[in-house]
Amino acid sequence: MKLMSLAGGLPHYYNLVLNKLQKEMGVEVCVVVPSAKGATLGAGVFESKDGIEFKVFYQEEYTTYYGKKFFKGLKELILQEKPDVLMVNWPYQAAFVFYPGWYNFLRRNNVALVSKEIPFQVPHYDQAISYYLNGGGVTENNQAHQQNKSLLARFKFMIVRETRRLFSNLVDAHINYLDEAVAMHASYGVPAEKVFVTANSPDTDVIFEHVEALKDVKSNPFRLLHIGRLVKWKQVDVLIEAAIALHAKYPQTELSIVGDGPELEALKTQAAGYDFIKFHGGIYDMRELGQITCESGIYVLAGMGGLSINEAMCFAKPVICSVADGTEKRLVREGYNGHFFESGSVDSLVSVIEKLFANPDQIAIMGKRSQEIIQNEINIHTVLGNYMEAFKYSIAARSNTVASH
């Protein structure tokens, strides 16, 4: 089986997953990325070419007539590489609606089309127009995607909704990280058997090697930890406020912040004068990151989710988070391996952290449960298994479509 994936860049964590897919699942992988800086990557996303074991093609990214990005020379590349599966995410999905010839091209060349996304800001069909008119979700700067409620905007949003409906039914399979995706796609007319729900995961095998090497590191149960990009929707400012409030009652409170991004200086200013708050900068070496994680007691993600939850759970840390992009719902079980708080509320965050500070023995117990969830339920092997199910289904579906014509 050969997979071609369209991507806005080469995020380090995703490279490791694709390496694993190729090495252990027998999938020949090639990735198409922009030849210049991708316009769709979030601020501060760590990209790396180190250790890549799959083919990478750098193609020119251009702005289409409908305003979204796509790749030049992609058809020629597909004819050259002959993939069985073409996997796409936003914004490249739109091209398969606005350039109708693409569908016939893929069908003629027996290439299955798979969509991959975290559709946490995708409304159900009957709610879409209202959703878009009222902002359409938020960017990583916590700003509404849309600010226009005119009649022209309403017409535009109708086009957006119908574009998703058409694309959703063109593809042979959907890979999504949320259980809610089945119902969401059903509202656009997609049958449940085409939707494959899989969690997201880093290469947990690599992480557990570091877990074993760092097993004797002592932790401070009152040290809070954040790992991730420093952008507004991570709400690290809320975590800093909570840590300051907690320190007044629990003087042993500490906060370690790992990450880089456009909010770094503002956060440092907010934390100035509080020597129990430490900024480590961006760290991408897993041994160094693991050392800092092991020395901490509780992992806190105050805003939008990320793979840092999975990583912290590998290192047996309880997790405190809010309901964000939905990926956290499979990982964090209230009162079992962590707690949820009300998003944006410092008081709520302080309250749930206090539950653990007041009973430090629960920190180790919940942390062990976190680790077991990764070992037994959500790890690189279970995730790649779900990917393979989707790929095999899509190939069979495309072959049946071709045969029927």
PDB file of all heavy atoms in Angstrom, residues 70-81 99 101-102 105-106 108-109:
ATOM      1  N   PHE A  70      -3.529  25.464  -2.463  1.00  0.00           N
ATOM      2  CA  PHE A  70      -3.393  24.136  -3.064  1.00  0.00           C
ATOM      3  C   PHE A  70      -2.004  24.039  -3.674  1.00  0.00           C
ATOM      4  O   PHE A  70      -1.234  25.004  -3.653  1.00  0.00           O
ATOM      5  CB  PHE A  70      -4.488  23.891  -4.104  1.00  0.00           C
ATOM      6  CG  PHE A  70      -4.747  22.424  -4.342  1.00  0.00           C
ATOM      7  CD1 PHE A  70      -5.107  21.600  -3.296  1.00  0.00           C
ATOM      8  CD2 PHE A  70      -4.628  21.882  -5.610  1.00  0.00           C
ATOM      9  CE1 PHE A  70      -5.347  20.245  -3.507  1.00  0.00           C
ATOM     10  CE2 PHE A  70      -4.863  20.538  -5.837  1.00  0.00           C
ATOM     11  CZ  PHE A  70      -5.227  19.717  -4.779  1.00  0.00           C
ATOM     12  N   PHE A  71      -1.678  22.850  -4.197  1.00  0.00           N
ATOM     13  CA  PHE A  71      -0.328  22.591  -4.705  1.00  0.00           C
ATOM     14  C   PHE A  71      -0.295  22.563  -6.230  1.00  0.00           C
ATOM     15  O   PHE A  71      -1.161  21.944  -6.869  1.00  0.00           O
ATOM     16  CB  PHE A  71       0.191  21.245  -4.191  1.00  0.00           C
ATOM     17  CG  PHE A  71       0.469  21.219  -2.723  1.00  0.00           C
ATOM     18  CD1 PHE A  71      -0.401  20.603  -1.836  1.00  0.00           C
ATOM     19  CD2 PHE A  71       1.619  21.824  -2.219  1.00  0.00           C
ATOM     20  CE1 PHE A  71      -0.139  20.572  -0.480  1.00  0.00           C
ATOM     21  CE2 PHE A  71       1.893  21.804  -0.860  1.00  0.00           C
ATOM     22  CZ  PHE A  71       1.013  21.177   0.012  1.00  0.00           C
ATOM     23  N   LYS A  72       0.721  23.203  -6.799  1.00  0.00           N
ATOM     24  CA  LYS A  72       0.983  23.072  -8.222  1.00  0.00           C
ATOM     25  C   LYS A  72       1.655  21.723  -8.497  1.00  0.00           C
ATOM     26  O   LYS A  72       2.407  21.208  -7.673  1.00  0.00           O
ATOM     27  CB  LYS A  72       1.897  24.195  -8.698  1.00  0.00           C
ATOM     28  CG  LYS A  72       1.235  25.567  -8.754  1.00  0.00           C
ATOM     29  CD  LYS A  72       2.149  26.600  -9.390  1.00  0.00           C
ATOM     30  CE  LYS A  72       1.444  27.954  -9.518  1.00  0.00           C
ATOM     31  NZ  LYS A  72       2.328  28.975 -10.138  1.00  0.00           N
ATOM     32  N   GLY A  73       1.370  21.161  -9.659  1.00  0.00           N
ATOM     33  CA  GLY A  73       2.061  19.947 -10.094  1.00  0.00           C
ATOM     34  C   GLY A  73       1.636  18.683  -9.375  1.00  0.00           C
ATOM     35  O   GLY A  73       2.318  17.652  -9.470  1.00  0.00           O
ATOM     36  N   LEU A  74       0.489  18.710  -8.671  1.00  0.00           N
ATOM     37  CA  LEU A  74       0.103  17.537  -7.886  1.00  0.00           C
ATOM     38  C   LEU A  74      -0.332  16.370  -8.777  1.00  0.00           C
ATOM     39  O   LEU A  74      -0.016  15.214  -8.483  1.00  0.00           O
ATOM     40  CB  LEU A  74      -1.014  17.912  -6.903  1.00  0.00           C
ATOM     41  CG  LEU A  74      -1.421  16.816  -5.922  1.00  0.00           C
ATOM     42  CD1 LEU A  74      -0.244  16.371  -5.068  1.00  0.00           C
ATOM     43  CD2 LEU A  74      -2.569  17.296  -5.038  1.00  0.00           C
ATOM     44  N   LYS A  75      -1.022  16.657  -9.848  1.00  0.00           N
ATOM     45  CA  LYS A  75      -1.450  15.562 -10.728  1.00  0.00           C
ATOM     46  C   LYS A  75      -0.244  14.827 -11.308  1.00  0.00           C
ATOM     47  O   LYS A  75      -0.219  13.584 -11.351  1.00  0.00           O
ATOM     48  CB  LYS A  75      -2.336  16.101 -11.857  1.00  0.00           C
ATOM     49  CG  LYS A  75      -3.752  16.415 -11.413  1.00  0.00           C
ATOM     50  CD  LYS A  75      -4.637  16.796 -12.590  1.00  0.00           C
ATOM     51  CE  LYS A  75      -6.067  17.051 -12.124  1.00  0.00           C
ATOM     52  NZ  LYS A  75      -6.959  17.440 -13.246  1.00  0.00           N
ATOM     53  N   GLU A  76       0.736  15.587 -11.748  1.00  0.00           N
ATOM     54  CA  GLU A  76       1.947  14.960 -12.298  1.00  0.00           C
ATOM     55  C   GLU A  76       2.646  14.109 -11.239  1.00  0.00           C
ATOM     56  O   GLU A  76       3.159  13.020 -11.534  1.00  0.00           O
ATOM     57  CB  GLU A  76       2.902  16.030 -12.819  1.00  0.00           C
ATOM     58  CG  GLU A  76       2.402  16.795 -14.048  1.00  0.00           C
ATOM     59  CD  GLU A  76       1.352  17.851 -13.730  1.00  0.00           C
ATOM     60  OE1 GLU A  76       1.104  18.104 -12.528  1.00  0.00           O
ATOM     61  OE2 GLU A  76       0.787  18.402 -14.686  1.00  0.00           O
ATOM     62  N   LEU A  77       2.637  14.585 -10.000  1.00  0.00           N
ATOM     63  CA  LEU A  77       3.276  13.844  -8.913  1.00  0.00           C
ATOM     64  C   LEU A  77       2.520  12.551  -8.617  1.00  0.00           C
ATOM     65  O   LEU A  77       3.131  11.502  -8.364  1.00  0.00           O
ATOM     66  CB  LEU A  77       3.338  14.727  -7.663  1.00  0.00           C
ATOM     67  CG  LEU A  77       4.259  14.280  -6.528  1.00  0.00           C
ATOM     68  CD1 LEU A  77       5.696  14.122  -7.018  1.00  0.00           C
ATOM     69  CD2 LEU A  77       4.198  15.275  -5.390  1.00  0.00           C
ATOM     70  N   ILE A  78       1.202  12.606  -8.659  1.00  0.00           N
ATOM     71  CA  ILE A  78       0.395  11.399  -8.441  1.00  0.00           C
ATOM     72  C   ILE A  78       0.641  10.384  -9.549  1.00  0.00           C
ATOM     73  O   ILE A  78       0.782   9.174  -9.284  1.00  0.00           O
ATOM     74  CB  ILE A  78      -1.096  11.774  -8.344  1.00  0.00           C
ATOM     75  CG1 ILE A  78      -1.361  12.507  -7.022  1.00  0.00           C
ATOM     76  CG2 ILE A  78      -1.983  10.535  -8.453  1.00  0.00           C
ATOM     77  CD1 ILE A  78      -2.752  13.068  -6.885  1.00  0.00           C
ATOM     78  N   LEU A  79       0.718  10.848 -10.787  1.00  0.00           N
ATOM     79  CA  LEU A  79       1.001   9.922 -11.895  1.00  0.00           C
ATOM     80  C   LEU A  79       2.383   9.305 -11.758  1.00  0.00           C
ATOM     81  O   LEU A  79       2.612   8.151 -12.125  1.00  0.00           O
ATOM     82  CB  LEU A  79       0.881  10.667 -13.225  1.00  0.00           C
ATOM     83  CG  LEU A  79      -0.535  11.115 -13.622  1.00  0.00           C
ATOM     84  CD1 LEU A  79      -0.490  11.986 -14.864  1.00  0.00           C
ATOM     85  CD2 LEU A  79      -1.439   9.898 -13.839  1.00  0.00           C
ATOM     86  N   GLN A  80       3.315  10.072 -11.209  1.00  0.00           N
ATOM     87  CA  GLN A  80       4.674   9.572 -11.008  1.00  0.00           C
ATOM     88  C   GLN A  80       4.741   8.553  -9.863  1.00  0.00           C
ATOM     89  O   GLN A  80       5.358   7.486  -9.994  1.00  0.00           O
ATOM     90  CB  GLN A  80       5.605  10.742 -10.697  1.00  0.00           C
ATOM     91  CG  GLN A  80       7.005  10.346 -10.239  1.00  0.00           C
ATOM     92  CD  GLN A  80       7.804  11.553  -9.758  1.00  0.00           C
ATOM     93  OE1 GLN A  80       7.876  12.563 -10.455  1.00  0.00           O
ATOM     94  NE2 GLN A  80       8.375  11.467  -8.574  1.00  0.00           N
ATOM     95  N   GLU A  81       4.096   8.865  -8.745  1.00  0.00           N
ATOM     96  CA  GLU A  81       4.237   8.029  -7.543  1.00  0.00           C
ATOM     97  C   GLU A  81       3.196   6.919  -7.446  1.00  0.00           C
ATOM     98  O   GLU A  81       3.395   5.947  -6.730  1.00  0.00           O
ATOM     99  CB  GLU A  81       4.167   8.917  -6.298  1.00  0.00           C
ATOM    100  CG  GLU A  81       5.323   9.878  -6.158  1.00  0.00           C
ATOM    101  CD  GLU A  81       6.654   9.157  -6.044  1.00  0.00           C
ATOM    102  OE1 GLU A  81       6.754   8.186  -5.254  1.00  0.00           O
ATOM    103  OE2 GLU A  81       7.597   9.553  -6.759  1.00  0.00           O
ATOM    104  N   TYR A  99     -12.497  22.172  -8.088  1.00  0.00           N
ATOM    105  CA  TYR A  99     -11.930  21.656  -9.334  1.00  0.00           C
ATOM    106  C   TYR A  99     -12.550  20.278  -9.565  1.00  0.00           C
ATOM    107  O   TYR A  99     -11.963  19.246  -9.205  1.00  0.00           O
ATOM    108  CB  TYR A  99     -10.412  21.535  -9.234  1.00  0.00           C
ATOM    109  CG  TYR A  99      -9.679  22.852  -9.086  1.00  0.00           C
ATOM    110  CD1 TYR A  99      -8.955  23.141  -7.933  1.00  0.00           C
ATOM    111  CD2 TYR A  99      -9.699  23.797 -10.105  1.00  0.00           C
ATOM    112  CE1 TYR A  99      -8.267  24.341  -7.799  1.00  0.00           C
ATOM    113  CE2 TYR A  99      -9.015  24.999  -9.980  1.00  0.00           C
ATOM    114  CZ  TYR A  99      -8.310  25.263  -8.820  1.00  0.00           C
ATOM    115  OH  TYR A  99      -7.635  26.460  -8.693  1.00  0.00           O
ATOM    116  N   GLY A 101     -12.786  18.213 -11.874  1.00  0.00           N
ATOM    117  CA  GLY A 101     -12.037  17.199 -12.610  1.00  0.00           C
ATOM    118  C   GLY A 101     -11.172  16.314 -11.735  1.00  0.00           C
ATOM    119  O   GLY A 101     -10.778  15.212 -12.145  1.00  0.00           O
ATOM    120  N   TRP A 102     -10.886  16.788 -10.531  1.00  0.00           N
ATOM    121  CA  TRP A 102     -10.045  15.995  -9.631  1.00  0.00           C
ATOM    122  C   TRP A 102     -10.669  14.641  -9.302  1.00  0.00           C
ATOM    123  O   TRP A 102      -9.969  13.628  -9.217  1.00  0.00           O
ATOM    124  CB  TRP A 102      -9.769  16.774  -8.344  1.00  0.00           C
ATOM    125  CG  TRP A 102      -8.463  17.485  -8.362  1.00  0.00           C
ATOM    126  CD1 TRP A 102      -8.242  18.820  -8.519  1.00  0.00           C
ATOM    127  CD2 TRP A 102      -7.174  16.892  -8.228  1.00  0.00           C
ATOM    128  NE1 TRP A 102      -6.899  19.099  -8.486  1.00  0.00           N
ATOM    129  CE2 TRP A 102      -6.225  17.923  -8.310  1.00  0.00           C
ATOM    130  CE3 TRP A 102      -6.725  15.581  -8.052  1.00  0.00           C
ATOM    131  CZ2 TRP A 102      -4.862  17.697  -8.220  1.00  0.00           C
ATOM    132  CZ3 TRP A 102      -5.364  15.342  -7.959  1.00  0.00           C
ATOM    133  CH2 TRP A 102      -4.441  16.393  -8.048  1.00  0.00           C
ATOM    134  N   PHE A 105     -10.194  12.311 -12.105  1.00  0.00           N
ATOM    135  CA  PHE A 105      -8.766  11.980 -12.216  1.00  0.00           C
ATOM    136  C   PHE A 105      -8.392  10.895 -11.209  1.00  0.00           C
ATOM    137  O   PHE A 105      -7.716   9.911 -11.561  1.00  0.00           O
ATOM    138  CB  PHE A 105      -7.930  13.227 -11.982  1.00  0.00           C
ATOM    139  CG  PHE A 105      -6.458  12.964 -11.872  1.00  0.00           C
ATOM    140  CD1 PHE A 105      -5.681  12.749 -13.007  1.00  0.00           C
ATOM    141  CD2 PHE A 105      -5.841  12.899 -10.622  1.00  0.00           C
ATOM    142  CE1 PHE A 105      -4.312  12.491 -12.901  1.00  0.00           C
ATOM    143  CE2 PHE A 105      -4.482  12.652 -10.511  1.00  0.00           C
ATOM    144  CZ  PHE A 105      -3.715  12.447 -11.643  1.00  0.00           C
ATOM    145  N   LEU A 106      -8.797  11.060  -9.971  1.00  0.00           N
ATOM    146  CA  LEU A 106      -8.469  10.049  -8.954  1.00  0.00           C
ATOM    147  C   LEU A 106      -9.131   8.719  -9.261  1.00  0.00           C
ATOM    148  O   LEU A 106      -8.531   7.657  -9.081  1.00  0.00           O
ATOM    149  CB  LEU A 106      -8.897  10.545  -7.570  1.00  0.00           C
ATOM    150  CG  LEU A 106      -8.146  11.764  -7.020  1.00  0.00           C
ATOM    151  CD1 LEU A 106      -8.706  12.166  -5.661  1.00  0.00           C
ATOM    152  CD2 LEU A 106      -6.640  11.501  -6.915  1.00  0.00           C
ATOM    153  N   ARG A 108     -10.015   7.567 -12.249  1.00  0.00           N
ATOM    154  CA  ARG A 108      -9.338   6.934 -13.390  1.00  0.00           C
ATOM    155  C   ARG A 108      -8.048   6.249 -12.984  1.00  0.00           C
ATOM    156  O   ARG A 108      -7.660   5.228 -13.563  1.00  0.00           O
ATOM    157  CB  ARG A 108      -9.044   7.977 -14.484  1.00  0.00           C
ATOM    158  CG  ARG A 108     -10.232   8.451 -15.276  1.00  0.00           C
ATOM    159  CD  ARG A 108      -9.788   9.159 -16.553  1.00  0.00           C
ATOM    160  NE  ARG A 108      -8.804  10.195 -16.313  1.00  0.00           N
ATOM    161  CZ  ARG A 108      -9.093  11.456 -16.028  1.00  0.00           C
ATOM    162  NH1 ARG A 108     -10.364  11.837 -15.936  1.00  0.00           N
ATOM    163  NH2 ARG A 108      -8.137  12.351 -15.836  1.00  0.00           N
ATOM    164  N   ASN A 109      -7.380   6.823 -11.995  1.00  0.00           N
ATOM    165  CA  ASN A 109      -6.092   6.272 -11.563  1.00  0.00           C
ATOM    166  C   ASN A 109      -6.205   5.413 -10.311  1.00  0.00           C
ATOM    167  O   ASN A 109      -5.187   5.036  -9.719  1.00  0.00           O
ATOM    168  CB  ASN A 109      -5.107   7.424 -11.336  1.00  0.00           C
ATOM    169  CG  ASN A 109      -4.684   8.078 -12.635  1.00  0.00           C
ATOM    170  OD1 ASN A 109      -3.839   7.567 -13.359  1.00  0.00           O
ATOM    171  ND2 ASN A 109      -5.313   9.216 -12.950  1.00  0.00           N
TER     172      ASN A 109
END
